[in-house]
């Protein structure tokens, strides 16, 4: 499939809206998610207090990120972790490839991680002939299909069981089935063979504890446990914003993340790794700290809270735009409301002029966000910036638009002029077909423009008298 | 300037002049509704698809383990090095082959069932905490399709917070390089959000709560 890009969000979205199967799959999934989340947080009495605590911890940590990152790296190194610093995607990929080469690793397995998607790690390793096998069921499906994830928690959310069944028949030669349990069992068998042979494991990190140098990985399937246990070397790629100060802070985040993400009290597995464990685990543990634009966001006070995100996916499920078009249309690694604020700010600035506008500002994302990120305000700020400093090719608005606004301004400088303009407008709107002309077409293609009233608004008061 | 220094310098420059809002004190763990820990642990574990039953003492546990293994037709058993398991293993029929933690990976990957204890049980969520420094259960709790766990009731704690506190040594350092929290059997919902139990980790998780130490 061709990968969509964020600069063409409008076209992507329009195409997605035509895809009935996609919309059906999305509707089902986002409804289910919302229901599960609501049930899970309904049972927590102090939900609001937890959210406020998480917000405050993140606000503090991000404002002192230099301090906490130093502490995290020092503590991790003390525990025997090899810490690497990657200022951008290319540096991070280079580091991972170098570790693989240094340790003569050839069979790579990977647990789902958005940070590694962000840096395009698989493609980079494929160039060295070391493409890792994805081991999370959803990610594996996506890898077999040669696609990209469309949701940060459920990568294959856009695919129906029929599509996945057909994919497995085609790629693995299994007998036809659409039964999720049977499909999952095939995945288990296949991937075990890879796990048994793997010599390098790659994962992301959900939280890094500054106080102890511990990294945490949350999951449900057990593939992250396999990935962090069986291979002799492990590499975890961690965005620098994942640091939290104290070990005890894990409690609040462990209460918030699974409930917001999947509606679980706790995900099935949490792996807490503080250094390598030569006996029954990797002999070497590497952590790659990734900047890729994050230090710029940290420095930007108005936008800093973007980095508080714990990637739960709740804002995607709640977003009326995401619910209709899914993740691919955003054309960036991070879709949905969080993608619309994060992607334009990371290195590459994907969709800086399009994604902040991909929202109705309804505020549903802000209501569900477990760390209380005010996404609508951040979207507005990014819109503001996009308009003030459009990229060179957009700096000058089109001639017709400029002329139109000049005329508009001219006509509003006196009551006579205004009356004349309105009179002409009413006449014009009676001409058949005119309502679909020019820029009006973008609006009226999917909506009815009401017919102009007989009596103009400004004449109504006198008529009433 | 090396990479570490330049990345930290970028952060420091960007934050220069910023006053950070204060770090809030750690929230107290929530009070849990009545019920004793064992009962709540069992309820929560069953909710996520695990099995849980109470036995009186280690001898009763040994009998029950033998029954469960026979019922599941287990022929090969991967075990940890927990001393509590010695008596249990003695009571097993000789037809069951037993593999310790130092067995090779291929053997452990092919085992029918794993057997271990857990260091902490969390009543709030029905979770087991596996502390790898105290017991070599990392492989036997993960690779076989079943995991059988003996958990003395004395190791139950009320909340997630209490369990986290138990993981640090007095100087604040973690007691173990690897700790794993396990809440129920392995699961996925990656295909149309339909719940499937048992993907990469064990499909069956069975906990025997032992009342007397
Ligand atoms: S922005 Fe908030 S709701 Fe969205 S993924 Fe991040 S933490 Fe979750």
């Amino acid at each position: 499939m061709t990968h969509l890009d964020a600069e063409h969000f409008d076209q992507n979205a329009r195409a997605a809206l035509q895809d009935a199967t996609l919309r059906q799959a999305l509707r089902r999934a986002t409804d289910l998610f919302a229901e599960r989340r609501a049930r899970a947080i309904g049972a927590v009495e102090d939900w609001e207090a937890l959210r406020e605590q998480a917000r405050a911890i993140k606000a503090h940590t991000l404002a002192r990120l230099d301090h906490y990152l130093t502490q995290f790296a020092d503590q991790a190194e003390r525990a025997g972790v090899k810490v690497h610093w990657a200022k951008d995607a290319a540096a991070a990929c280079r580091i991972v490839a170098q570790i693989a080469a240094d340790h003569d690793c050839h069979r790579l397995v990977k647990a789902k991680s958005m940070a590694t998607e962000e840096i395009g790690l698989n493609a980079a390793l494929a160039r060295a002939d070391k493409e890792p096998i994805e081991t999370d069921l959803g990610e594996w499906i996506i890898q077999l299909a040669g696609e990209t994830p469309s949701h940060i928690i459920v990568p294959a959310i856009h695919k129906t069981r029929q599509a996945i069944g057909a994919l497995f028949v085609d790629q693995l030669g299994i007998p036809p089935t659409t039964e999720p349990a049977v499909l999952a069992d095939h995945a288990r068998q296949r991937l075990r063979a890879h796990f048994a042979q793997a010599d390098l494991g790659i994962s992301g990190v959900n939280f890094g504890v500054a106080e102890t140098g511990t990294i945490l990985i949350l999951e449900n399937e057990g593939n992250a446990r396999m990935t962090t246990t069986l291979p002799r070397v492990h590499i975890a790629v961690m965005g620098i914003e994942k640091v939290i100060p104290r070990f005890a802070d894990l409690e609040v985040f462990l209460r918030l993340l699974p409930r917001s993400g999947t509606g679980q009290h706790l995900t099935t597995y949490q792996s807490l790794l503080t250094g390598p464990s030569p006996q029954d685990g990797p002999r070497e543990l590497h952590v790659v700290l990734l900047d890729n634009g994050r230090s710029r966001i940290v420095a930007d006070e108005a936008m800093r809270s973007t980095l508080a995100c714990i990637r739960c996916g709740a804002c995607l499920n709640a977003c009326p735009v995401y619910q209709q078009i899914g993740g691919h249309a955003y054309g960036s690694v991070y879709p949905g409301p969080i993608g619309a604020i994060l992607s334009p700010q990371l290195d590459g600035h994907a969709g800086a002029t399009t994604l902040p506008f991909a929202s109705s500002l309804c505020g549903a994302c802000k209501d569900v966000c477990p760390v209380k990120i005010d996404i609508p305000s951040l979207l507005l700020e990014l819109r503001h910036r996009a308009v003030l400093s459009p990229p060179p090719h957009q700096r000058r608005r089109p001639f017709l638009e400029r002329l139109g606004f000049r005329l508009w301004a001219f006509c509003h400088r006196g009551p006579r002029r205004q009356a004349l303009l309105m009179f002409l407008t009413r006449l014009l709107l009676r001409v058949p077909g005119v309502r679909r002309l020019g820029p009006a077409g973008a609006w009226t293609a999917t909506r009815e423009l009401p017919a102009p009233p007989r009596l103009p608004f400004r004449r109504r008061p006198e008529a009433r008298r | 300037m090396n990479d570490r220094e330049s990345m930290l310098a970028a952060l420091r420059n960007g934050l220069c002049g910023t006053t950070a809002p204060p770090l809030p004190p750690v929230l107290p763990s929530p009070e849990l509704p009545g019920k004793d820990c064992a009962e709540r642990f069992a309820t929560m574990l069953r909710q996520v698809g695990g099995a849980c039953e109470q036995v009186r003492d280690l001898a009763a546990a040994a009998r029950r383990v033998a029954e469960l293994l026979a019922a599941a037709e287990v022929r090969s058993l991967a075990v940890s090095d927990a001393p509590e398991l010695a008596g249990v293993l003695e009571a097993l029929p000789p037809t069951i082959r037993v593999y310790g933690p130092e067995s090779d990976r291929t053997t452990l990957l092919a085992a029918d069932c794993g057997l271990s204890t857990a260091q902490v049980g969390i009543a709030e969520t029905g979770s087991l905490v596996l502390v790898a420094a105290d017991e070599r259960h990392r492989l036997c709790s993960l690779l076989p399709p079943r995991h059988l766990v003996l958990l003395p009731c004395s190791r139950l704690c009320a909340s997630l917070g209490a369990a986290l506190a138990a993981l640090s040594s007095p100087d604040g350092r973690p007691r173990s390089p690897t700790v794993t929290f396990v809440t129920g059997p392995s699961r996925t919902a990656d295909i149309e959000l339909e719940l499937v139990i048992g993907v990469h980790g064990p499909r069956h998780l069975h906990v025997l709560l032992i009342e007397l130490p």
Side-chain angles (χ1 to χ4, degrees):
Chain A
M1 81 169 250
T2 52
H3 293 278
L4 304 174
D5 79 75
E7 315 323 312
H8 296 97
F9 175 79
D10 284 0
Q11 285 103 298
N12 305 344
R14 214 160 292 144
L17 287 175
Q18 304 303 319
D19 187 341
T21 328
L22 170 72
R23 293 183 65 181
Q24 197 190 342
L26 283 169
R27 165 77 1 169
R28 224 182 84 83
T30 50
D31 280 357
L32 252 176
F33 257 139
E35 190 186 303
R36 288 181 190 168
R37 175 187 168 276
R39 205 177 321 132
I41 70 168
V44 182
E45 259 173 46
D46 52 352
W47 185 251
E48 285 311 311
L50 286 176
R51 288 177 81 204
E52 178 50 31
Q53 175 80 358
R55 189 206 58 77
I57 292 173
K58 283 287 189 178
H60 168 84
T61 315
L62 291 171
R64 298 200 57 199
L65 194 56
D66 53 334
H67 166 76
Y68 286 113
L69 198 59
T70 309
Q71 191 188 8
F72 171 80
D74 289 347
Q75 290 300 327
E77 274 168 0
R78 214 178 119 185
V81 175
K82 299 208 160 63
V83 179
H84 307 264
W85 302 74
K87 72 173 186 346
D88 56 22
C93 290
R94 220 180 308 119
I95 291 166
V96 174
Q98 191 60 48
I99 298 169
D102 289 349
H103 292 81
D104 199 24
C105 297
H106 297 279
R107 294 162 191 276
L108 282 58
V109 287
K110 182 158 158 269
K112 194 179 109 57
S113 129
M114 290 310 294
T116 59
E117 295 286 341
E118 178 188 325
I119 60 175
L121 183 61
N122 286 12
L125 288 171
R127 282 194 288 277
D129 215 14
K130 289 187 182 175
E131 181 164 5
I133 307 282
E134 294 285 354
T135 60
D136 169 81
L137 177 56
E139 282 285 342
W140 193 55
I141 292 169
I142 294 301
Q143 190 177 38
L144 287 177
E147 296 182 12
T148 53
S150 69
H151 191 286
I152 59 183
I153 300 291
V154 200
I157 199 170
H158 59 287
K159 283 191 135 20
T160 57
R161 62 182 70 198
Q162 286 77 15
I164 297 167
L167 176 72
F168 277 30
V169 170
D170 188 43
Q171 297 271 318
L172 312 173
I174 66 160
T177 177
T178 55
E179 206 32 69
V182 179
L183 293 167
D185 201 51
H186 281 292
R188 175 185 167 98
Q189 301 307 336
R190 295 288 173 134
L191 290 169
R192 289 208 130 208
H194 289 295
F195 281 128
Q197 311 249 321
D199 46 21
L200 175 67
I202 300 173
S203 73
V205 171
N206 289 104
F207 302 103
V209 182
E211 183 182 43
T212 57
T214 305
I215 58 171
L216 245 82
I217 303 168
L218 276 63
E219 54 142 355
N220 281 314
E221 296 182 3
N223 63 308
R225 283 180 75 192
M226 297 285 242
T227 303
T228 54
T229 301
L230 293 176
R232 57 189 157 87
V233 181
H234 187 79
I235 307 175
V237 180
M238 171 175 155
I240 53 175
E241 82 282 20
K242 299 275 173 183
V243 177
I244 56 172
R246 301 163 296 204
F247 196 73
D249 291 327
L250 284 172
E251 185 178 8
V252 51
F253 290 104
L254 287 178
R255 277 184 209 284
L256 288 168
L257 178 51
R259 286 182 172 92
S260 300
T262 51
Q264 293 171 280
H265 296 304
L266 207 54
T267 52
T268 307
Y269 304 121
Q270 277 76 239
S271 299
L272 288 72
L273 309 176
T274 317
S277 40
Q279 209 169 35
D280 293 322
R283 272 176 265 157
E284 276 194 24
L285 178 60
H286 297 260
V287 172
V288 180
L289 295 171
L290 175 70
D291 186 327
N292 205 34
R294 288 165 172 79
S295 57
R296 198 171 44 233
I297 309 177
V298 166
D300 185 344
E301 193 161 358
M303 298 303 297
R304 192 180 294 146
S305 60
T306 309
L307 294 179
C309 172
I310 54 174
R311 308 275 188 274
C312 71
C315 57
L316 278 60
N317 306 329
C319 176
V321 176
Y322 181 91
Q323 285 172 0
Q324 299 302 326
I325 61 171
H328 286 150
Y330 289 81
S332 72
V333 171
Y334 301 99
I338 179 60
I341 54 171
L342 182 59
S343 302
Q345 299 185 75
L346 290 174
D347 279 3
H349 303 278
T353 57
T354 50
L355 297 189
F357 297 88
S359 163
S360 66
L361 301 178
C362 72
C365 48
K366 176 183 173 181
D367 290 346
V368 295
C369 179
V371 285
K372 293 174 83 169
I373 302 176
D374 186 355
I375 299 175
S377 299
L378 299 184
L379 285 168
L380 277 177
E381 175 64 25
L382 288 177
R383 286 182 186 189
H384 186 67
R385 294 180 187 184
V387 172
L388 282 186
S389 63
H393 67 281
Q394 293 191 2
R395 199 149 288 160
R396 239 174 126 69
R397 309 303 302 174
F399 173 72
L400 263 182
E401 186 179 324
R402 278 182 290 138
L403 183 70
F405 276 108
R406 283 258 178 85
L407 263 174
W408 183 263
F410 173 81
C411 292
H412 281 80
R413 277 197 206 111
R416 291 255 180 84
R417 294 177 189 181
Q418 211 253 353
L420 181 66
L421 173 76
M422 287 302 146
F423 176 70
L424 289 175
T425 309
R426 276 202 308 283
L427 274 188
L428 189 67
L429 285 178
R430 300 241 164 87
V431 180
V434 78
R435 295 190 208 179
R436 293 193 203 299
L437 271 187
W443 175 263
T444 54
T446 50
R447 299 171 185 85
E448 275 303 313
L449 186 65
R454 283 266 157 73
L455 197 61
F457 180 73
R458 81 198 127 78
R459 298 242 313 267
R460 272 186 232 173
E462 53 185 276
R464 212 180 277 171
R465 259 181 263 134
Chain B
M1 216 165 25
N2 63 21
D3 298 337
R4 170 180 165 130
E5 283 317 312
S6 63
M7 260 171 73
L8 285 173
L11 280 174
R12 218 170 290 130
N13 293 338
L15 285 170
C16 140
T18 307
T19 30
L23 178 65
V26 175
L27 284 183
S29 296
E31 297 280 329
L32 295 172
K35 290 199 213 162
D36 73 312
C37 278
E39 201 176 306
R40 183 168 167 107
F41 177 87
T43 313
M44 296 310 289
L45 180 55
R46 286 185 197 119
Q47 245 178 45
V48 290
C52 186
E53 53 187 288
Q54 290 203 32
V55 293
R56 234 185 91 70
D57 52 18
L58 254 177
R63 281 193 299 277
R64 190 68 188 122
V65 169
E67 279 170 27
L68 287 169
L69 294 183
E73 294 178 24
V74 168
R75 285 159 208 280
S76 53
L77 183 69
V79 299
S80 73
D81 59 354
E84 294 90 333
L85 298 184
V88 178
L89 296 180
E90 260 165 41
L92 291 182
T95 47
I96 296 180
R97 277 160 295 144
V98 174
Y99 300 101
E102 58 298 311
S103 313
D104 71 87
R105 299 260 164 107
T106 337
T107 315
L108 295 178
L109 275 160
D112 297 331
C113 183
L115 175 66
S116 73
T117 77
Q119 281 54 57
V120 181
I122 309 174
E124 180 189 353
T125 49
S127 310
L128 300 164
V129 183
L130 308 178
V131 180
D134 295 355
E135 179 177 350
R136 287 187 69 183
H137 42 21
R138 214 166 152 181
L139 297 169
C140 71
S141 67
L142 175 64
L143 302 181
R146 300 173 174 274
H147 182 205
L148 200 52
V149 185
L150 305 188
L151 182 68
C153 284
S154 56
R155 295 187 194 170
L156 287 173
C157 70
S159 69
L160 185 58
L164 287 170
L167 294 177
S168 305
S169 48
D171 67 349
R173 313 254 341 132
R175 286 203 295 117
S176 169
T178 311
V179 174
T180 313
F181 285 56
V182 176
T183 312
S186 149
R187 60 154 76 196
T188 185
D190 273 355
I191 301 176
E192 290 191 0
L193 289 196
E194 186 170 302
L195 179 65
V196 174
I197 296 289
V199 203
H200 300 292
R203 184 168 296 157
H204 303 276
L205 177 68
H206 200 122
V207 176
L208 297 183
L209 281 175
I210 305 171
E211 285 157 35
L212 300 175

